[in-house]
């Protein structure tokens, strides 16, 4: 028996003729028909219903219009959006979040109070950098593809190279508001600022003694003194410094320092009392008890660093933010110190005899603290006169030798000339030069490094028009009487 085949187009056309054609978009697929057995006849499946045929045709047409694509998994999409900066890390409640912003905030908190001009800056900055690097490593997996994160990593690497920071070592606490090092003056002074208790960074003072001897006080007053014997430079609740001066030449009131004693007083859990003593030709790199440091732990709160064997040592007291330089030049010693003002001025009324605080007593001064000695030396030298104050040196030769070391003719240059003329010891040139270097290393205010003598102050013998012979005569009388 012959059966006629129905054309596929006819079937589709008959299905579409049951309803109106949509104007702009195909209608949604109709609800599926109730499930019923498929009718078969003579081994062939029955023709599909009109609704099923329409749905299949619509799906096929849509598939042909759109190119095939793969939908990314949700996690890949999230990372893609994060890398493009389209999602804020705080908007997604995933278990692992990029915490680079927290790392950076902690680093700023740890370093905002640091001052590059003070002792211990490099050590504290390197600690903060290592803490920053550790924080970035811990969040690296969550921050993959984050441009801020990768910029921070590169910046940390550059800073560690610039500051010569090792990758291994102690790190700073990431919560400076709660914890701080009680034996680090810079740390707890910075914590006070962070809490709002003190909005100003600590102020540091400088004092120095060198040469014949010349004193620069905490107030930047410059004096030339006699002060023979033992005298206290500093005597406060934290530190005592005493110097002993001896005559340089017989019959002269000019003296120089041949002994320095420094006492670091016991301070809570930071250090026991430590005593350092240096005399001519014995500049040790240890305290009198044989130790080279004070305090517990790897980061010592007090330590001695020998810069040049038998010639130059430094003492760093972290717990009081204080640095001391001691040198030997020729037969005599020099000293320079930097200390926080609040500690330097912490003393009792009975401790008021401190040369660094109040200067030399009037009876011990060779000048009045306003450059009278330098005024005597400031006269122009007549070309016809070569008056000698000490065998081997004239004003002209002394000026020439000092100018080689110190091109700026400030009070340190004038002190160099004064010392050469009164002692004839060329080592005083190196002493004046080193004293100026110590100022540049320790004095907190660069604009005050150089002190220039005032020409308006009266001189003890004659005015500015007096001849060099009269000026040197006055100088010799002052020193040798």
């Amino acid at each position: 028996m012959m059966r006629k085949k129905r054309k596929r187009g006819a079937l589709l056309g008959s299905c579409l003729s049951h309803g109106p054609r949509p104007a702009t978009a195909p209608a949604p697929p109709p609800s599926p028909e109730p499930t019923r057995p498929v009718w078969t006849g003579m081994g062939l499946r029955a023709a599909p219903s009109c609704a099923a045929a329409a749905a299949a045709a619509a799906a096929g047409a849509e598939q042909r219009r759109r190119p095939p694509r793969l939908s990314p998994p949700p996690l890949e999409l999230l990372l893609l959006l994060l890398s493009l900066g389209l999602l804020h890390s705080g908007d997604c409640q995933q278990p692992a979040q990029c915490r680079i912003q927290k790392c950076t905030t902690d680093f700023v908190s740890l370093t905002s109070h640091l001052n590059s001009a003070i002792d211990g800056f490099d050590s504290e900055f390197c600690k903060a950098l290592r803490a920053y690097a550790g924080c970035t490593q811990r969040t690296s997996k969550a921050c993959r593809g984050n441009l801020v994160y990768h910029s921070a990593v590169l910046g940390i690497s550059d800073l560690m190279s610039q500051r010569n920071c090792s990758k291994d070592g102690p790190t700073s606490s990431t919560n400076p508001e709660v914890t701080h090092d009680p034996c680090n003056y810079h740390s707890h002074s910075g914590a006070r600022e962070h809490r709002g208790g003190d909005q100003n960074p600590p102020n540091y003072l400088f004092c120095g003694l060198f040469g014949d001897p010349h004193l620069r006080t905490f107030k930047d007053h410059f004096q030339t003194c006699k002060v023979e014997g033992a005298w206290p430079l500093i005597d406060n609740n934290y530190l005592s410094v005493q110097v002993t001066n001896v005559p340089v030449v017989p019959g002269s009131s000019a003296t120089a320092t041949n002994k320095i004693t420094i006492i670091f007083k016991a301070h809570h859990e930071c250090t026991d009392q430590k005593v350092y003593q240096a005399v001519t030709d014995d500049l040790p790199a240890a305290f009198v008890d044989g130790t080279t440091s004070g305090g517990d732990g790897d980061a010592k709160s007090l330590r001695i660093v020998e810069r040049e064997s038998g010639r130059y040592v430094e003492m760093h007291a972290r717990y009081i933010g204080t640095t001391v330089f001691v040198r030997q030049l020729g037969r005599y010693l020099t000293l320079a110190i930097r200390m926080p003002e609040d500690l330097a001025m912490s003393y009792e009324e009975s401790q008021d005899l401190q040369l660094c605080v109040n200067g030399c007593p009037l009876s011990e001064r060779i000048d009045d603290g306003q450059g009278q000695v330098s005024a005597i030396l400031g006269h122009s030298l007549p070309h016809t006169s070569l008056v000698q104050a000490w065998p081997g040196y004239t004003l002209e030769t002394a000026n020439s030798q000092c100018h080689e070391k110190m091109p700026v003719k400030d009070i340190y240059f004038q002190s160099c000339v004064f010392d050469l003329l009164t002692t004839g010891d060329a080592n005083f040139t190196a002493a004046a030069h080193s004293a100026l270097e110590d100022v540049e290393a320790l004095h907190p205010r660069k604009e005050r490094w150089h002190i220039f003598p005032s020409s308006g102050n009266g001189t003890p013998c004659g005015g500015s028009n007096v001849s060099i012979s009269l000026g040197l005569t006055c100088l010799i009388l002052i020193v040798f009487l």
Side-chain angles (χ1 to χ4, degrees):
M1 179 178 178
M2 299 295 294
R3 298 179 62 183
K4 291 185 180 180
K5 296 183 180 180
R6 295 183 64 182
K7 293 184 180 179
R8 184 175 180 179
L11 173 63
L12 181 59
S14 62
C15 292
L16 293 179
S17 63
H18 286 288
R21 184 184 304 268
T24 57
S31 301
E33 296 180 353
T35 305
R36 63 179 183 272
V38 179
W39 178 85
T40 57
M42 299 297 290
L44 297 176
R45 174 174 292 188
S49 67
C50 292
E62 180 69 13
Q63 185 68 24
R64 286 191 299 273
R65 282 197 300 269
R66 291 186 300 178
R69 63 180 178 86
L70 296 177
S71 300
L75 180 59
E76 294 179 8
L77 179 60
L78 172 63
L79 292 175
L80 177 62
L81 292 174
L82 283 173
S83 67
L84 296 175
L86 299 179
L87 286 179
H88 191 278
S89 60
D91 296 335
C92 182
Q93 300 300 321
Q94 296 294 332
Q97 296 181 10
C98 180
R99 300 177 62 83
I100 187 61
Q101 185 176 359
K102 176 68 165 57
C103 296
T104 303
T105 302
D106 287 345
F107 175 72
V108 172
S109 298
L110 291 168
T111 56
S112 59
H113 68 279
L114 296 180
N115 185 343
S116 60
I118 62 179
D119 177 51
F121 170 81
D122 287 337
S123 173
E124 294 303 315
F125 194 79
C126 287
K127 287 181 183 180
L129 275 176
R130 284 191 287 267
Y132 195 9
C135 184
T136 59
Q137 289 173 3
R138 289 189 294 272
T139 193
S140 59
K141 194 171 184 180
C143 293
R144 187 178 303 164
N146 187 304
L147 296 180
V148 176
Y149 165 80
H150 290 290
S151 297
V153 170
L154 292 175
I156 292 169
S157 178
D158 290 343
L159 285 173
M160 293 188 79
S161 298
Q162 293 172 16
R163 296 288 176 180
N164 294 320
C165 300
S166 61
K167 293 184 178 180
D168 299 321
T171 60
S172 299
S173 166
T174 56
N175 193 354
E177 292 183 336
V178 178
T179 62
H180 65 271
D181 184 356
C183 294
N184 186 337
Y185 178 83
H186 306 140
S187 173
H188 55 74
S189 65
R192 289 196 301 268
E193 294 175 53
H194 191 82
R195 291 192 300 264
D198 183 6
Q199 298 301 323
N200 298 317
N203 185 39
Y204 290 84
L205 303 178
F206 173 87
C207 181
L209 186 76
F210 69 98
D212 198 8
H214 307 287
L215 171 70
R216 180 167 180 161
T217 72
F218 282 146
K219 299 175 183 178
D220 286 327
H221 294 166
F222 197 96
Q223 301 169 355
T224 300
C225 310
K226 295 177 285 187
V227 290
E228 182 178 349
W231 290 82
L233 279 183
I234 296 174
D235 185 18
N236 56 49
N237 298 336
Y238 303 89
L239 181 71
S240 291
V241 179
Q242 180 176 283
V243 295
T244 301
N245 302 316
V246 295
V248 177
V249 292
S252 169
S253 61
T255 65
T257 304
N258 74 338
K259 182 179 180 180
I260 296 175
T261 302
I262 303 172
I263 301 176
F264 294 91
K265 301 180 180 180
H267 187 77
H268 306 302
E269 70 271 24
C270 299
T271 182
D272 296 328
Q273 177 171 290
K274 295 289 183 178
V275 180
Y276 178 84
Q277 191 169 86
V279 296
T280 297
D281 296 330
D282 184 12
L283 195 67
F287 297 107
V288 295
D289 62 2
T291 62
T292 60
S293 62
D296 299 326
D298 296 331
K300 300 297 183 182
S301 58
L302 173 63
R303 60 190 176 93
I304 294 179
V305 179
E306 186 177 53
R307 296 301 185 188
E308 184 180 350
S309 179
R311 293 291 171 182
Y312 174 28
V313 298
E314 297 178 2
M315 279 155 272
H316 301 272
R318 292 192 316 126
Y319 68 102
I320 53 175
T322 298
T323 303
V324 183
F325 291 177
V326 179
R327 302 176 186 262
Q328 178 173 334
L329 296 152
R331 298 286 302 162
Y332 304 105
L333 307 176
T334 69
L335 180 138
I337 183 169
R338 178 181 62 207
M339 191 172 192
E341 182 178 15
D342 59 332
L343 305 187
M345 296 303 166
S346 177
Y347 59 87
E348 307 298 330
E349 292 183 6
S350 59
Q351 300 171 295
D352 63 340
L353 182 57
Q354 302 180 57
L355 302 189
C356 281
V357 177
N358 299 313
C360 299
L362 289 173
S363 60
E364 297 292 330
R365 297 182 191 176
I366 294 178
D367 66 2
D368 65 353
Q370 298 297 325
Q372 285 192 353
V373 168
S374 60
I376 295 173
L377 298 177
H379 298 297
S380 58
L381 178 67
H383 295 287
T384 58
S385 175
L386 293 176
V387 179
Q388 291 187 358
W390 190 261
Y393 282 100
T394 65
L395 183 61
E396 186 177 55
T397 57
N399 267 285
S400 176
Q401 182 165 326
C402 292
H403 188 65
E404 290 179 3
K405 289 282 188 180
M406 290 164 288
V408 178
K409 293 189 175 182
D410 60 359
I411 201 72
Y412 290 90
F413 169 85
Q414 301 288 4
S415 298
C416 171
V417 175
F418 173 82
D419 290 350
L420 288 181
L421 292 176
T422 55
T423 68
D425 188 346
N427 288 306
F428 283 112
T429 302
H433 179 251
S434 295
L436 182 57
E437 287 185 329
D438 291 345
V439 169
E440 294 173 353
L442 296 179
H443 199 293
R445 301 183 62 176
K446 184 175 181 179
E447 69 274 13
R448 293 188 180 179
W449 287 356
H450 296 282
I451 298 177
F452 295 94
S454 172
S455 60
N457 299 307
T459 56
C461 295
S464 59
N465 295 323
V466 179
S467 67
I468 187 61
S469 299
L470 181 56
L472 287 176
T473 300
C474 293
L475 170 63
I476 296 170
L477 286 173
I478 290 174
V479 175
F480 286 89
L481 285 180

